[in-house]
Every structure is written in C-alpha cells, then in structure tokens.
Amino acid sequence: MEHATFRDGGDGEERGTVRLGDALGTEHVAINRYRIAPGDGFPSGLHAHADQEEVFVVVAGVATFETLEGDVRVEAGEAIRFAPGEFQTGHNDGDGDDDLVAFALGSPRDSDDVRVPATCPDCGADSLRLHTDGDLTFACPACEAEHTPAPCPDCGRDDLGFTTDGANDPVVECGDCGARFDDAPLER
C-alpha cells in the first residue's frame, strides 16, 4: 500500500501539478492533480494520446476544453473523457479570481505516443508524433520523416503552441506576437 498527501485546493496553496501517480507508485494509471490560475491552462497545448485515454475531474472552478468538435465547459462536480486519438487542450475559463482544481487520470499510465495536429510536409499525414527526449522533434508515423519545430515566421521566437481557431480547426499560435498559422512551421 502507498499513501500520498496533497492539499485540498484551499487558499494559499501553491499552483501547479502534483503527480500523485508517481507518489503512489501506480503501474497502470497516471493520476495528476492540477491547480490552475484564471486565464492559465493545463501544461500541454492541443494534443492527443494515441495510446491513452484521459479523464479530467473538475473539483473546483471551471475548465474549458478546446477540441476539434468545439469547446466544452466542465464545471466543478463534472468530468470529461477523451478517448485515445482525440485532440484536446484545457484552460481555466472561470469567472473572477477562482482557481481551477482538477484531477487527470490516464490509462495506461505511460503514454509514449503523444500526437500534435500538424501536417507532415513529406507525405501529408494529419498528425505528427511528439518526441521530447533530448531536443524537441516531430516524427511522422506514416512515413517516419523527422521534423524540427521552426521559430515563429513573424517574430522569430520559439513560443509556438497548438490550439484551435474559431472554426475548431487546429492552428499554431505564437505566445509572443500572437500570430497564427494553419500549418506548423517546421524545419527539415
């Protein structure tokens, strides 16, 4: 038996992620507790796990999840499930100054196949596999081509992330200058 302690989401608690699966030594399920400030988001941009389903349980505040089917608002006392391969990202879209407190459960525990909604410039496949060991790279699961993220074509900075536009289509947005691109800037 393993036992872990985390705070209840009260005032003054540090924001961020508590990896309860690590603390408990879980083998088959990832368990993370998030406390997110208003306007901030979960640590990942628009992504999908090809080999993991995820369930988010909101215990305080309001989360808005962006998906390719549209935005979904999840309030305290509600949960949402994403099947393997479903693209999503979430943020604290609550009113006022309330933090979002949510648990994320993923199974299987270790997801090695994280996808981003970027088109492979070599074969046209509609998603790329994210590799984070060492330098950030993308690999095409269809043709196995490797690609490196390029900086923002408008400002030259590296703060690019995947999100959705008003039509729920995936786009890349620069966190520095706000420019949006239909296709991810990639170096070959």
Side-chain angles (χ1 to χ4, degrees):
M1 177 177 70
E2 300 295 330
H3 180 253
T5 302
F6 62 94
R7 296 193 179 227
D8 65 1
D11 290 338
E13 181 184 346
E14 186 175 324
R15 293 178 173 133
T17 305
V18 176
R19 300 203 179 283
L20 292 169
D22 292 346
L24 294 170
T26 60
E27 295 178 19
H28 303 288
V29 64
I31 308 167
N32 296 315
R33 201 272 275 120
Y34 297 98
R35 183 177 174 98
I36 300 170
D40 288 346
F42 290 94
S44 301
L46 190 64
H47 72 285
H49 297 274
D51 57 354
Q52 181 187 63
E53 68 180 324
E54 288 184 292
V55 173
F56 291 85
V57 180
V58 176
V59 295
V62 177
T64 297
F65 288 91
E66 295 175 36
T67 74
L68 301 183
E69 289 77 36
D71 290 355
V72 180
R73 184 176 164 101
V74 182
E75 298 183 13
E78 297 179 337
I80 189 169
R81 173 191 177 262
F82 295 100
E86 284 187 283
F87 285 99
Q88 56 84 13
T89 187
H91 57 275
N92 181 348
D93 196 25
D95 302 324
D97 298 327
D98 293 334
D99 282 355
L100 164 65
V101 179
F103 288 87
L105 305 136
S107 181
R109 185 186 197 295
D110 295 318
S111 177
D112 295 331
D113 194 350
V114 178
R115 306 281 176 101
V116 293
T119 302
C120 177
D122 292 349
C123 75
D126 63 359
S127 70
L128 297 176
R129 184 178 293 125
L130 176 66
H131 288 185
T132 56
D133 14 334
D135 295 329
L136 176 68
T137 61
F138 300 116
C140 178
C143 72
E144 299 183 14
E146 293 277 335
H147 303 282
T148 303
C152 174
D154 287 5
C155 72
R157 304 248 171 116
D158 290 327
D159 190 15
L160 296 175
F162 292 91
T163 188
T164 58
D165 64 11
N168 302 315
D169 293 322
V171 295
V172 175
E173 182 175 61
C174 179
D176 288 312
C177 73
R180 285 188 163 197
F181 308 95
D182 290 336
D183 291 317
L186 299 173
E187 296 175 352
R188 294 179 189 212

